[in-house]
Amino acid sequence: MSVTLPDEQTRQAAPPRAETLLSVENVDMVFGGLKALNEVTTQILHGQIKGIIGPNGAGKSTLFNVVTGIYTPTNGDVCLNAESLVGLKPNEIAERGIARTFQTIRLFGDMSVLENVMVGQHVRTRTTFLAAALRLPAARREERAMRERAHELLALCGIPDKADTLAGNLPFGQQRIVEIARALATDPKLLVLDEPASGLTGVERDELVALIRRLRDDGMTIVLVEHDMQLVMNLVDEVLVLDYGRAIAEGPPDQIKTDPAVIAAYLGEDAGSLV
């Protein structure tokens, strides 16, 4: 008869630790004499929703632009699954598995919602320009698959009936959702949302929160910058706080709400929303 030793039993019962998906290590970003990011270090774990907050000008969008390849950091490293992304172009980073939305909506307003979502899939397509132009069988099969996938994503995002609507004719909140669907069409490992609740009504905001939670439940890793503190504190697993380009606090929402450095950074910026 075999006997399980106590330390073996402990190891068997311990839950698996989440692995790091994205790591940011000692990142600086300097514009002229301005240090927009100053030795920022953070990790995002697989399956996590992470919020990045801070007063205006804290460096939040700059950090997003570094992670997604719009800016190359002055110093430091950004790694996805331990592979450095520094020096790669935004499309190359998208191919490796990071998709983002922007503060300002960037849909093609004169294209249908379905077509906008299909555009996001082009980082994964194999059809050559010539094959597409000649309408070869492989190109037609791939296009059918793209359409089917786009319909699936619109259903996941709660707007399956908007496929044929011109994107520019949608209400603002639904345009935000289409942007998320288009980002998901790249089949990302990490979804980066820049001010996703900006300009939304209360109902639209609730729909956005429900969508983000559904995505996380399906295994998506998400990082978001957001000024709506109530949304952040009720939604994310962990918060990173930036101020003047530095990381001043990081941890679960309940801890961040009462952190003296965070409260001080928000004085004059609606500090009461943190608690």
Side-chain angles (χ1 to χ4, degrees), residues 102-108 167 171-177 179 182 198 200:
F102 292 84
Q103 292 181 30
T104 304
I105 290 176
R106 301 189 178 188
L107 297 177
F108 299 102
F172 187 82
Q174 290 186 346
Q175 290 188 37
R176 288 257 185 224
I177 299 299
E179 279 208 316
R182 185 173 63 183
S198 176
L200 300 190

Side-chain angles (χ1 to χ4, degrees), residues 206-226:
D206 291 344
E207 291 172 348
L208 172 70
V209 168
L211 171 59
I212 292 173
R213 285 179 172 150
R214 285 201 304 274
L215 295 175
R216 194 267 303 274
D217 291 345
D218 286 342
M220 180 63 63
T221 305
I222 299 166
V223 58
L224 59 91
V225 162
E226 183 53 61

